[in-house]
């Protein structure tokens, strides 16, 4: 990287052409897709813009966080982030200036700029929030840095003017042997490599892994590791800026329109309403199809389903959670009434009409406030209606004991490694990530196993299977909604049932 | 009392209940010729301790140290001190404006143990006057705590609290390696090494830069210096020599993640370099640097040949981690280990003499053939550790799997084992130098790192000894008026070591002040110049 950075002089000449190419005045203050956000945005915003911008960025930061929780593989992380990033905070790179137009680039970057500053305001209040934001923003910045072209990166870095002097040839010769030992470079490779000399405190990640040569308190960072320096500089910059914001915010509270919005942003869980796959044209689900579809239920719903079959009853909140889920799956009111009537096998028609039919119709907006209720999202299930010990509703990853969870995982037939991984995520409060991990690792195999178990008459969802991790399922977006799991699972099954198997 | 030093009470400990938070009663006494303090002599001990504090404890030197040349800005006064009293009451968050206040408190309370904590944003004694979040630890020396109890799996001479000259070698080696790494690599200059009073050493890295290190920076340094992974529990040393624990940290790779464009190529390169290559000049130079105590050319030839063999080998199970191990700081450490291995491990620990002993070493040999063969051979016969080691090396030299095993064994046995928690937490407390160990009666004296091989923990001054000297030696020197009391005791040499360390800090402080003054006067000059310029502007 950065051949033109070998000396400043040659670097300057090499980039003159590029500078003129990209110095498009229509880009305004945003000559790069990358931004260190040193200046606040001077724009007027509507409250609505304010909120959507912030939420869009927050979705991406959540994805960034999740990606890191899910895997250590950078390529997978990037692929994962990319999907969410491109949907909510798309940023065209400069090479696309002619393809999409400078105005579009400007708009995207303006939004990026604004949304970053809104989140600063929303997340500056406590040390924990600040820490979270710094971490995710730095990861997001580095993701974008990785996506950007070499020449652009170099140009951006140059403009940043980060203090990282290049080691002179003579200095390098003095420690040549140590550098080569540290990096396993050949003599020629060493010759070709640019090193920066910075205080070791700036590259702790490298120091910690003994991945850098350190002498007299200076770290000799090879150009390959330059991103560590950039990340460090960005992180330091943002940390300081957030602390300054935190001190300034009490004054801002005077603008009381913003306060509730900001407060809600930092509490935001991104519980987007569920939009069923296939829209209105989906097949209707009949009351007698529920058992066979249960293989596609997420853990929470399987749990409710098996409790219903076992007890022939569900309590109020459980009925709501499961009933709305079934509604989302595609069960119309008439079918739902039959389903619940037959499921509550121990009571009379009369009792059912008196005590339960109302609830079912209520779910469909035909009673009470006459709202057309939507199925609960994971966040809603996880955060509201805290179940009592005797209840069966809620999210298993949150409510189950470690042992119950282990048994459940065994039921899904996942291996010990995955099981431990999921348990760890659940323990740390990353319930949806745990759920997603389970989905991925079971993939189609769990569904097949479940089918087999069902065929054998064990309709309670407890299946036994091999202990190995199911391959072939790519990393999916975090499970936000039980119906999302259902749709993914069903789609997967549909694809894989084709004889040609085009997975 | 290293136990307490390792697990100082948390911040709030004292707020809860002083009595229950007191350090646990110390472990049973070492069973050697050291003086013991029995409960019967406890009163006598405290009488001596009081004299020690009154006449011998170097309060002004402490002030010079912990004041760091900033007497006016209250740096010393913001330092936390904590005392363990004879009644086992533990008092945290004390602070003192200066040496006199410190002396008064210590002489008055006569603590059996003194701990030094962090420098806070306000005087710790005022902690209660502010909201909980408003009292924060700002700075502290970078400290290290190495304890022989963590070497129990490789010590064969003593165990637990006991120590002897033989196993003190482990501490000497630790000092040598850490001192070099901290000074050469991190550029620290002011290191105070202290005997912990029983079976370990402490190090106080006191540079300005060290005191200002963040939590993360301390963690990174500890990781850099850690090779034998230490799990906080009992068995800290079971894991083999390995690269620093990257697993727990890799989450951060997303934050600092790299493009990894040429990582493939890099790895190729490093494998080659690590595997050796006799014609590689890097390798050649390393050999010439290494201090091969045995000095037998045969060994050197063998290792070269072996390295060449490895280059032809396609199998990289050990080589793949070699690049980490071949980091410059580890090569340097390796030379020290190599130099001491024979005497400490083979002769003194006699670590291959019996089956339980040699099994530990054989377990690290990746070649199963060698393991079984040598076990068969050794389990019935008698043999010296030196001969067996030679035999093992010869076997490993012929095996394609053992390229780094010799080195791994050396690291496993001798590389310093750090207590990470003590070093990382800024608000952790560590026992003060010149404390008297309440059980051994030994004074926690500084150790001169340049002469650490000479340090003998069995002959350090004891409370009884030096207070006694105060009486017996009093008359001889009574003429010399300006003399300080400790100069008549065995403590003198150690206080001189301390002062040498303080002198270094003072020099740097002086240089800094001079530089600041110069900068200030330059600013004045510039101002004058500017004023002149202005006037000239006016006249034109
Ligand atoms: S994460 Fe969502 S889908 Fe998964 S079990 Fe919990 S609530 Fe159900
Ligand atoms: Zn011993």
């Amino acid at each position: 990287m950065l051949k033109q950075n070998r000396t400043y002089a040659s670097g300057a000449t090499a980039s003159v052409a590029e500078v003129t190419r990209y110095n498009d005045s229509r880009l305004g203050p945003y000559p790069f897709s990358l931004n260190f956000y040193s200046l606040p945005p001077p724009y007027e915003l509507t409250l609505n813009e304010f909120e959507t911008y912030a939420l869009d960025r927050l979705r991406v930061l959540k994805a960034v966080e999740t990606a890191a929780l899910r895997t250590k593989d950078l390529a997978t992380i990037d692929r994962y982030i990319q999907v969410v990033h491109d949907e909510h905070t798309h940023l065209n790179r400069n090479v696309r200036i002619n393809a999409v137009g400078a105005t579009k680039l400007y708009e995207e970057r303006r939004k990026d700029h604004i949304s970053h500053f809104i989140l600063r305001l929303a997340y500056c209040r406590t040390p924990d929030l600040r820490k979270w934001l710094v971490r995710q923003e730095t990861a997001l910045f580095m993701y974008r840095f990785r996506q950007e072209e070499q020449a652009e990166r170099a140009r951006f870095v140059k403009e940043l003017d980060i203090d990282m002097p290049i080691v002179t040839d003579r200095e390098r010769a003095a420690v040549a042997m140590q550098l080569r030992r540290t990096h396993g470079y050949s003599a020629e490779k060493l010759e070709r490599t640019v090193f920066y000399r910075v205080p070791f405190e700036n590259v702790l990640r490298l120091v910690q892994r003994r991945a850098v040569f350190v002498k007299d308190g200076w770290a000799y960072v090879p150009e390959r590791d330059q991103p560590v320096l950039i990340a460090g500089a960005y992180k330091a910059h943002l940390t300081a800026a957030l602390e300054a914001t935190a001190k300034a915010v009490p004054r801002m509270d005077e603008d009381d329109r913003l306060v509730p919005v900001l407060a809600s942003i930092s509490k935001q869980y991104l519980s987007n309403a569920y939009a069923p796959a296939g829209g209105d044209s989906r097949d209707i689900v009949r009351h007698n199809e529920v058992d066979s579809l249960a293989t596609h239920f997420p853990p929470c719903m399987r749990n409710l389903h098996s409790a219903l079959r076992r007890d022939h009853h569900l309590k109020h909140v459980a009925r709501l959670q499961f009933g709305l889920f079934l509604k989302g799956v595609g069960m119309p009111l008439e079918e739902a009434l039959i389903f619940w009537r037959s499921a509550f096998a121990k009571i009379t028609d009369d009792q059912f009409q008196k005590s339960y039919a109302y609830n079912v119709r209520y779910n469909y907006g035909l009673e009470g406030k006459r709202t057309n209720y939507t199925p609960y999202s994971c966040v809603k299930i996880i955060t509201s209606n805290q179940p009592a010990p005797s209840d069966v509703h809620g999210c298993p990853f949150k409510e189950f004991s470690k042992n119950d969870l282990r048994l459940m995982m065994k039921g899904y037939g996942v291996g010990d490694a995955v099981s431990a991984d999921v348990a760890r995520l659940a323990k740390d409060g990353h319930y949806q990530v745990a759920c997603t991990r389970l989905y991925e690792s079971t993939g189609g195999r769990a569904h097949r196993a479940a089918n087999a178990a069902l065929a054998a008459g064990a309709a309670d969802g407890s299946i036994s299977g091999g202990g190995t991790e199911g391959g072939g399922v790519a990393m999916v977006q975090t499970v936000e909604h039980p119906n999302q799991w259902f749709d993914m699972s069903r789609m997967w099954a549909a694809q894989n049932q084709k004889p040609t198997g085009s997975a | 009392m290293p136990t307490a030093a390792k697990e100082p009470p948390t911040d709030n400990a004292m707020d809860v209940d002083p009595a229950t938070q007191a350090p646990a009663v110390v472990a049973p006494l070492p069973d050697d010729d050291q003086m013991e303090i029995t409960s019967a002599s406890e009163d006598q001990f405290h009488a001596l301790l009081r004299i020690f504090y009154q006449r011998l404890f170097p309060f002004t030197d402490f002030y010079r140290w912990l004041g760091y040349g900033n007497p006016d800005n209250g740096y010393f006064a913001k330092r936390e001190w904590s005392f363990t009293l004879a009644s086992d009451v533990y008092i945290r968050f004390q602070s003192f404006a200066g040496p006199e206040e410190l002396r008064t408190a210590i002489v008055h309370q006569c603590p059996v143990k003194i701990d030094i904590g962090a420098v806070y944003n306000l005087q710790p004694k005022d902690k209660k006057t502010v909201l909980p979040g408003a009292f924060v630890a700002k700075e502290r020396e970078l400290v290290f705590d190495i304890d022989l109890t963590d070497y129990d799996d490789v010590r064969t001479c003593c165990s637990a609290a006991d120590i002897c000259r033989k196993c003190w070698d482990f501490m000497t080696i630790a000092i040598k390696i850490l001192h070099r790494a901290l000074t050469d690599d991190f550029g620290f200059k002011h290191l105070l090494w202290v005997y912990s009073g029983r079976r370990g050493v402490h190090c106080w890295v006191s540079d300005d830069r060290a005191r200002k290190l963040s939590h993360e920076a301390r963690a990174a340094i500890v990781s850099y210096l850690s090779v034998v992974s230490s799990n906080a529990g009992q068995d800290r040393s079971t894991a083999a020599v390995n690269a620093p624990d990257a697993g727990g940290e890799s989450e951060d790779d997303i934050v600092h993640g790299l493009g990894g464009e040429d990582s493939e190529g890099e790895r190729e390169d490093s494998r080659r370099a690590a595997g050796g290559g006799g014609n590689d000049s890097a390798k050649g130079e390393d050999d010439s640097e290494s201090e091969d105590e045995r000095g037998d050319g045969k060994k050197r030839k063998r290792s070269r040949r072996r390295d060449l063999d490895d280059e032809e080998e396609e199998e990289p199970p050990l080589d793949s981690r070699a690049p980490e191990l071949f980091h410059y700081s580890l090569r340097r450490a390796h030379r020290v280990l190599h130099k001491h291995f024979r005497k400490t491990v083979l002769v003194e620990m006699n670590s291959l003499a019996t089956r339980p002993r040699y099994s530990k070493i054989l377990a690290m040999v990746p070649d199963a053939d060698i393991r079984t063969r040598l076990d068969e051979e050794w389990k019935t016969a008698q043999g010296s550790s030196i001969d067996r080691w030679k035999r093992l090396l010869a076997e490993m030299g012929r095996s394609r799997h053992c390229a780094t095993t010799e080195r791994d064994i050396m690291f496993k046995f001798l590389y310093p084992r750090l207590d990470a928690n003590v070093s990382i937490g800024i608000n952790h407390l560590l026992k003060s130098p010149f404390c008297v160990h309440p059980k051994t009666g030994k004074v926690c004296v500084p150790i001169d790192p340049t002469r650490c091989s000479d340090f003998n923990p069995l002959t350090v001054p004891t409370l009884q000894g030096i207070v006694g000297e105060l009486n017996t030696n009093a008359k001889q020197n009574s003429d010399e008026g300006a003399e300080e009391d400790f100069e008549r005791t065995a403590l003198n040499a150690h206080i001189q070591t301390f002062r040498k360390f303080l002198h270094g800090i003072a020099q740097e402080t002086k240089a800094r002040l001079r530089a600041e003054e110069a900068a200030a006067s330059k600013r004045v000059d510039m101002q004058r110049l500017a004023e002149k310029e202005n006037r000239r502007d006016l006249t034109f």
Side-chain angles (χ1 to χ4, degrees), chain A residues 8 26 45 78 93 140 154 159 164 232 234 237 260 263 265 292 299 311 335 353 363 415 418 436 451 473 482:
Chain A
Y8 284 124
R26 289 168 300 170
L45 282 190
D78 283 358
R93 295 180 292 143
L140 173 63
E159 202 134 301
M164 43 180 196
Y234 181 71
H237 164 68
I265 288 170
S292 62
D311 305 337
E335 292 294 328
Q353 284 305 337
N363 277 352
V418 175
T436 315
N451 277 326
V473 178

Side-chain angles (χ1 to χ4, degrees), chain B residues 12-63:
Chain B
N12 301 321
M14 278 318 292
D15 303 337
V16 184
D17 180 359
T20 57
Q21 295 297 331
V25 178
V26 274
L29 290 167
D31 188 19
D32 51 26
D33 57 349
Q34 292 161 22
M35 177 202 54
E36 296 188 6
I37 311 295
T38 63
S39 59
S41 63
E42 244 173 48
D43 287 348
Q44 195 211 345
F45 179 81
H46 285 106
L48 293 175
L49 195 58
R50 181 152 282 130
I51 298 174
F52 170 72
Y53 286 140
Q54 273 165 345
R55 298 181 59 186
L56 295 170
F57 197 82
F59 290 102
T60 38
D61 290 322
F62 267 83
Y63 184 69

Side-chain angles (χ1 to χ4, degrees), chain A residues 142 185 201 208 210 216-217, chain B residues 184-185 209 223-224 255 266:
Chain A
M142 288 319 290
Y185 286 174
E201 289 95 334
Q208 168 173 271
R210 282 196 294 268
D216 276 338
Chain B
D184 289 9
D185 298 357
R209 187 173 180 179
S223 166
Y224 178 95
V255 176
E266 306 280 350

Side-chain angles (χ1 to χ4, degrees), chain A residues 50-186:
Chain A
F50 189 84
E51 195 161 3
T52 35
Y53 281 17
L55 291 186
D56 279 350
R57 192 180 192 90
L58 207 47
R59 281 199 179 93
V60 175
L61 294 183
K62 281 274 180 193
V64 167
E65 179 187 31
T66 309
L69 285 170
R70 299 271 301 279
T71 173
K72 305 295 177 213
D73 175 53
L74 209 54
T76 317
I77 284 177
D78 283 358
R79 251 180 284 125
Y80 184 90
I81 296 176
Q82 191 187 5
V83 180
V84 187
H85 184 268
D86 288 356
E87 186 181 340
H88 297 291
T89 56
H90 196 264
L91 275 183
N92 275 296
R93 295 180 292 143
N94 278 345
V95 273
R96 308 256 307 145
I97 192 164
N98 292 326
V100 296
T103 321
K104 175 118 174 91
L105 265 58
Y106 171 80
E107 289 297 332
E108 286 171 353
R109 291 170 190 185
R110 176 178 169 274
K111 177 181 169 186
D112 175 59
H113 187 199
I114 294 170
S115 62
H116 171 85
F117 270 91
I118 300 174
L119 291 195
R120 273 200 201 176
L121 287 178
Y123 278 76
C124 69
R125 283 140 196 273
T126 71
D128 279 349
L129 287 176
R130 289 201 290 270
K131 210 171 143 196
W132 185 86
L133 188 69
V134 168
R135 194 181 168 82
Q136 311 316 333
E137 279 283 347
T138 309
L140 173 63
F141 178 83
M142 288 319 290
Y143 162 77
R144 289 171 171 175
F145 193 81
R146 287 192 294 271
Q147 306 307 309
E148 199 37 280
E149 293 184 294
Q150 194 53 74
E152 279 292 291
R153 284 200 245 177
R155 229 159 54 80
F156 176 75
V157 168
K158 197 151 166 283
E159 202 134 301
L160 278 180
D161 202 19
I162 297 173
D163 191 20
M164 43 180 196
I166 292 175
V167 173
T168 63
D169 285 351
R170 195 196 298 168
E171 278 177 305
R172 188 175 44 203
V175 291
M177 232 24 99
Q178 288 90 325
L179 291 177
R180 288 185 49 199
R181 282 169 190 165
T182 306
H183 299 287
Y185 286 174
S186 64

